[in-house]
């Protein structure tokens, strides 16, 4: 046999088919490393392709120019809720996601809906850990902004007291960074919950707080153009 052949190839294939089926090669290689099997994601991709366990993914061509990120951490934080079947039980709960525009650093919490309560809790957690940002980028949901120019939502009132500017996004494309972060959670977080057989919001939040979000940031966070 070739010296380049992974000696644990059959075990790796067995683990993939019984435990990690449907995982992309990059994510699967990370979980296999936890199991003690070091295999490069590109090597695993080729192995899965040869066994018919993975299909080549066609990359879509970009169809719009992305906005340049802000220069400094805390200059702008995007907030949005992702309504999704997080637990695989046909029950759609909300993951409230906060993403720093300059670095893509994320913070997330689960709740039954995108309510003022979960927004306030998330903002408070962010401020305790990182400080008060200059601005929030939000969509036009009532929880964030009042539909009437003569009144204000609870979030608007609180942000005014804190000196945080509210910037309204007019389309999902305008909040591209938080939307892309949603996609990461809908892939990686859903798979983690399935592996741990977690079916409750409380259990999901425990996973998020017990290193899952920190691991995402370690992998996907990028340095700000201005590090100050």
């Amino acid at each position: 046999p070739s010296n380049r052949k992974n000696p644990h190839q059959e075990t790796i294939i067995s683990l993939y088919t019984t435990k990690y089926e449907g995982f992309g090669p990059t994510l699967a290689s990370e979980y296999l490393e936890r199991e003690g099997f070091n295999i490069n994601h590109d090597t695993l991709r080729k192995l899965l392709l040869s066994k018919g366990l993975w299909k080549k993914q066609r990359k879509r061509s970009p169809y719009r120019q992305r906005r340049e990120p802000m220069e400094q951490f805390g200059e702008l934080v995007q907030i949005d809720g992702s309504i999704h079947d997080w637990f695989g039980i046909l029950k759609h709960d909300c993951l409230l996601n906060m993403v720093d525009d300059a670095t893509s650093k994320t913070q997330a919490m689960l709740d039954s809906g995108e309510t003022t309560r979960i927004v306030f809790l998330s903002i408070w957690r962010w401020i305790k850990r990182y400080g008060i940002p200059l601005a929030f980028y939000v969509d036009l949901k009532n929880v964030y902004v009042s539909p009437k120019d003569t009144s204000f939502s609870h979030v608007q009132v609180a942000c005014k007291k804190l000196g945080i500017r509210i910037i309204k996004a007019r389309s999902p494309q305008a909040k591209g960074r938080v939307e892309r972060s949603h996609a990461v959670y809908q892939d990686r977080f859903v798979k983690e919950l399935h592996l741990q057989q977690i079916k409750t919001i409380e259990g999901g939040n425990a996973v998020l707080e017990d290193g899952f979000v920190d691991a995402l940031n370690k992998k996907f966070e990028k340095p700000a153009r201005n590090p100050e």
Side-chain angles (χ1 to χ4, degrees):
S2 166
N3 290 329
R4 298 174 65 186
K5 181 178 179 181
N6 192 304
H8 306 294
Q9 179 174 303
E10 297 305 320
T11 306
I12 287 171
I13 289 294
S14 177
L15 268 172
Y16 183 84
T17 55
T18 58
K19 197 171 181 180
Y20 303 119
E21 187 172 9
F23 283 40
T26 300
L27 183 56
S29 66
E30 294 175 19
Y31 277 92
L32 286 165
E33 187 174 347
R34 295 185 191 180
E35 306 261 10
F37 300 100
N38 293 321
I39 181 168
N40 180 273
H41 64 87
D42 195 48
T43 303
L44 179 60
R45 180 180 290 106
K46 292 174 181 176
L47 178 60
L48 296 177
L49 284 169
S50 70
K51 300 292 185 181
L53 297 172
W54 185 253
K55 293 182 179 180
K56 290 184 178 180
Q57 305 296 302
R58 183 172 64 88
K59 292 185 178 180
R60 294 183 296 176
S61 299
Y63 61 96
R64 65 173 66 87
Q65 186 177 4
R66 290 183 179 178
R67 173 181 59 80
E68 279 290 310
M70 294 295 178
E71 290 194 357
Q72 293 174 281
F73 177 75
E75 194 172 352
L76 178 68
V77 175
Q78 299 189 15
I79 308 178
D80 192 41
S82 176
I83 308 298
H84 189 70
D85 181 12
W86 297 101
F87 306 106
I89 55 177
L90 300 179
K91 182 177 180 292
H92 288 69
D93 295 304
C94 176
L95 181 131
L96 203 288
N97 193 0
M98 299 181 66
V99 180
D100 177 67
D101 194 85
T103 64
S104 295
K105 182 190 287 290
T106 178
Q107 172 191 281
M109 290 183 71
L110 279 171
D111 205 350
S112 57
E114 196 169 358
T115 63
T116 299
R117 174 184 176 275
I118 189 64
V119 173
F120 273 170
L121 282 173
S122 296
I123 290 174
W124 177 239
R125 284 182 59 194
W126 184 279
I127 288 172
K128 282 183 68 178
R129 186 167 185 178
Y130 302 118
I132 299 174
L134 293 183
F136 286 141
Y137 205 37
V138 302
D139 59 24
L140 302 181
K141 296 188 185 81
N142 291 350
V143 67
Y144 301 114
V145 295
S146 171
K148 300 178 181 179
D149 293 333
T150 56
S151 60
F152 299 94
S153 71
H154 292 299
V155 172
Q156 285 175 297
V157 172
C159 286
K160 184 177 181 180
K161 290 181 178 180
L162 290 167
I164 302 172
R165 181 185 174 199
I166 295 285
I167 301 174
K168 302 174 185 178
R170 301 293 175 177
S171 70
Q173 290 79 16
K175 309 192 311 300
R177 285 170 185 79
V178 74
E179 294 290 340
R180 288 190 290 275
S181 183
H182 286 342
V184 172
Y185 278 102
Q186 289 172 9
D187 179 31
R188 290 173 172 253
F189 187 43
V190 166
K191 290 180 171 67
E192 182 68 30
L193 292 173
H194 174 73
L195 287 174
Q196 295 195 34
Q197 298 183 344
I198 290 172
K199 302 292 184 183
T200 65
I201 289 172
E202 293 76 13
N205 279 327
V207 171
L208 291 170
E209 294 169 18
D210 193 28
F212 184 87
V213 173
D214 289 338
L216 278 191
N217 285 330
K218 185 177 180 180
K219 184 171 182 64
F220 295 108
E221 185 181 347
K222 58 188 179 183
R225 288 183 289 163
N226 180 346
E228 184 177 345

